[in-house]
Amino acid sequence: MPRSARPVLFVSSSGSGVLNPMLVLAGELARRGIPGLWFAADEHCRADVEAIRGRSTVEFASLGEEIPELSPTSWDDDTYWEITQRSTWKALRATALHTLEPSLRLDKHVRLDEIVRRVEPALLVVDKVSAYAARLAIARGIPYVVAGPFLPSNMLYPKVPKGFPAPNSGLGRHMTRAQRLANRLFPLRTAGLLRHPRIVAALLRFVRARRRLGIPARAGRPTAVTDHAHLVLCHTLPGVEYPMPLPDNVRTLGAMIPPLPEAPGADDDLSAWLDAYDSIVYIGLGTITRLSAEQIATLVDVAGKLDDHHVLWKLPKAQHGLLPPADKLPPNLRIESWLPSQLDVLAHPNVRVFVNHAGGGGFNEGLALGKPMVLHPLWVDCHDQAVRGADAGVSLTLTAERFDLDEVVHTVRRVLTEESFTARAEHFRRLQLELGGRAAAADAILGLPVLR
């Protein structure tokens, strides 16, 4: 088979924050009629992959069922709250102890190896979370691209300049003396985790598994995933990350936004509602955010206090039982358990502020579509995005761990009324258009020598 005719295989984990950009990128290649497109993901992602439409098709390859230990929707409440606590160090420690077990991913590796042998791809495009896929590519000598909606410092960790805010620390560029000390200690404490008995045992199992699977030692190094990549695509915008030298293979080309509207005519009632009100606050805290009854009550009260605006809140159906009776909800509040397209909502001119959890997906979509934001960081990397957003002048961050009514109302009103937030958001929207987003990312992939 001629080299240029061999397939391109996408490999993605199932979290929507990393899956959705990969679907958009695969969709862009399909629209261009690129032949031989494959997409390997967990079984429950099959419908999303098969829904991709273009001049060529995308074949789905199953990696089996989702791993419960790696899926936040499967965690018990104690695990969830421990991993999402506001102390970035404690949250990082909890994440490592809960998810670093290498045996969890062995089945994925074996399944992917079988797919690779069958498909014989010329190139793999893997998300940053699916490091096992990059290691397999290194072992098999297959060129690969790494992609993800993460800051370059997160993608390249631990290769960051001296004095740079430690990835996952939530520290900003301008630090107090105490914060500078905390910044120096953060990577040392992280390295110290390697001496934790559970992690030592897990690393020994990883080494044994690596050898058994024929993965070379160089593929197991912390920076191997990006060091050996032909291309590293950071789905964020320049000017958000603090200045740092980037390797030649790294590109920041903007968020992966599909052609809009994404779902025209899917919900005419919602479209009419968005058209009817000229100042809307959209609350979208992610599909896996688990709110308490107290937090839900606070956000309902927030909407009531913002009575000169309207509020659209995407709240998963499973949490609707924690809402007050319908007749007790503020008249300016609309709650939806599902949206045909969050991107279509964000692109609407009447949506003026986006309240989100600072996850890579939503945060970068907000930037790309020019929406100033109010951020409530959830996962460890979210704290880094939140401090970058504040320093870039496009967002403010809530400080209370479980929401404080007065703080939320005050913060949302600041972003609504201070013109600088809207101006900075508009700057990033224009920058997204200039950089090209998905089109530029597709061009970069197709320009690799292996596909010429």
Side-chain angles (χ1 to χ4, degrees):
M1 182 180 292
R3 193 172 180 82
S4 61
R6 287 167 55 205
V8 175
L9 172 62
F10 287 79
V11 185
S12 180
S13 53
S14 58
S16 60
V18 292
L19 174 67
N20 289 341
M22 296 285 279
L23 293 170
V24 171
L25 192 48
E28 176 66 17
L29 296 185
R31 276 188 292 277
R32 297 186 185 194
I34 305 302
L37 298 176
W38 286 78
F39 201 112
D42 292 346
E43 179 60 35
H44 76 271
C45 303
R46 179 184 291 271
D48 291 324
V49 174
E50 293 179 344
I52 295 174
R53 297 288 181 269
R55 290 194 291 124
S56 61
T57 59
V58 180
E59 299 290 336
F60 178 75
S62 179
L63 292 173
E65 298 303 321
E66 188 174 33
I67 301 170
E69 292 87 346
L70 301 181
S71 173
T73 57
S74 301
W75 296 343
D76 58 43
D77 286 343
D78 289 343
T79 299
Y80 177 88
W81 291 114
E82 189 177 16
I83 288 177
T84 60
Q85 63 181 294
R86 274 300 173 96
S87 167
T88 53
W89 160 249
K90 291 180 180 178
L92 182 63
R93 180 180 183 274
T95 302
L97 291 173
H98 189 74
T99 64
L100 273 187
E101 174 53 53
S103 63
L104 295 174
R105 299 166 180 84
L106 287 181
D107 182 61
K108 302 295 180 190
H109 180 104
V110 171
R111 286 176 178 267
L112 180 60
D113 197 22
E114 293 171 350
I115 293 167
V116 165
R117 292 177 188 279
R118 172 163 49 96
V119 173
E120 297 183 351
L123 180 75
L124 265 64
V125 182
V126 308
D127 79 84
K128 175 63 162 52
V129 179
S130 300
Y132 72 92
R135 294 191 181 102
L136 187 147
I138 295 170
R140 300 289 177 264
I142 304 171
Y144 68 96
V145 172
V146 178
F150 303 109
L151 296 164
S153 56
N154 183 287
M155 294 282 276
L156 298 172
Y157 179 77
K159 285 189 174 181
V160 295
K162 184 178 181 180
F164 195 89
N168 298 318
S169 69
L171 293 169
R173 184 180 183 185
H174 305 291
M175 302 182 218
T176 64
R177 180 178 298 177
Q179 287 174 329
R180 288 196 295 272
L181 176 61
N183 190 50
R184 288 196 294 271
L185 291 175
F186 198 90
L188 297 176
R189 297 175 78 186
T190 302
L193 276 175
L194 299 178
R195 294 192 294 270
H196 190 286
R198 284 171 54 188
I199 292 182
V200 169
L203 289 174
L204 289 173
R205 288 191 290 273
F206 169 76
V207 171
R208 288 195 293 268
R210 176 181 61 74
R211 291 171 177 168
R212 187 170 66 252
L213 295 169
I215 299 172
R218 62 190 176 90
R221 294 170 184 158
T223 61
V225 170
T226 51
D227 283 349
H228 297 285
H230 280 51
L231 192 63
V232 178
L233 297 174
C234 301
H235 303 322
T236 189
L237 288 160
V240 178
E241 179 62 282
Y242 302 133
M244 63 176 289
L246 298 179
D248 292 340
N249 64 341
V250 177
R251 304 282 188 278
T252 53
L253 300 173
M256 295 297 99
I257 306 293
L260 299 179
E262 187 178 27
D267 191 335
D268 291 337
D269 180 66
L270 176 60
S271 296
W273 188 87
L274 292 168
D275 290 341
Y277 303 108
D278 61 4
S279 183
I280 296 169
V281 175
Y282 170 53
I283 303 176
L285 294 169
T287 57
I288 54 178
T289 299
R290 197 178 301 182
L291 298 176
S292 66
E294 180 184 7
Q295 287 175 306
I296 287 176
T298 299
L299 290 179
V300 169
D301 290 342
V302 166
K305 293 280 188 179
L306 296 171
D307 54 359
D308 49 341
H309 305 274
H310 281 75
V311 178
L312 173 64
W313 183 8
K314 180 187 174 185
L315 180 68
K317 187 69 173 178
Q319 296 188 303
H320 282 212
L322 300 177
L323 288 165
D327 61 351
K328 301 296 184 182
L329 295 175
N332 65 326
L333 173 63
R334 178 174 180 139
I335 298 174
E336 297 285 346
S337 59
W338 176 81
L339 297 174
S341 169
Q342 174 170 277
L343 293 169
D344 288 349
V345 168
L346 287 174
H348 198 286
N350 290 345
V351 174
R352 295 182 54 204
V353 173
F354 179 23
V355 181
N356 66 82
H357 72 287
F363 176 78
N364 288 303
E365 290 167 1
L367 285 174
L369 295 172
K371 300 302 176 182
M373 293 176 275
V374 172
L375 303 175
H376 178 68
L378 189 64
W379 316 104
V380 286
D381 65 296
C382 299
H383 297 272
D384 289 352
Q385 269 122 212
V387 74
R388 265 56 161 201
D391 283 350
V394 76
S395 64
L396 291 175
T397 302
L398 300 172
T399 60
E401 186 167 359
R402 299 292 182 94
F403 296 132
D404 175 81
L405 174 61
D406 292 338
E407 183 196 19
V408 179
V409 172
H410 174 73
T411 304
V412 172
R413 285 198 179 279
R414 272 196 64 190
V415 176
L416 281 166
T417 57
E418 295 182 20
E419 294 182 2
S420 63
F421 292 104
T422 300
R424 289 298 291 166
E426 176 60 19
H427 161 76
F428 285 110
R429 187 191 69 82
R430 292 195 301 268
L431 184 57
Q432 169 79 17
L433 294 175
E434 292 170 7
L435 289 172
R438 73 176 191 282
D443 288 344
I445 289 174
L446 295 175
L448 291 173
V450 70
L451 296 182
R452 289 177 185 167

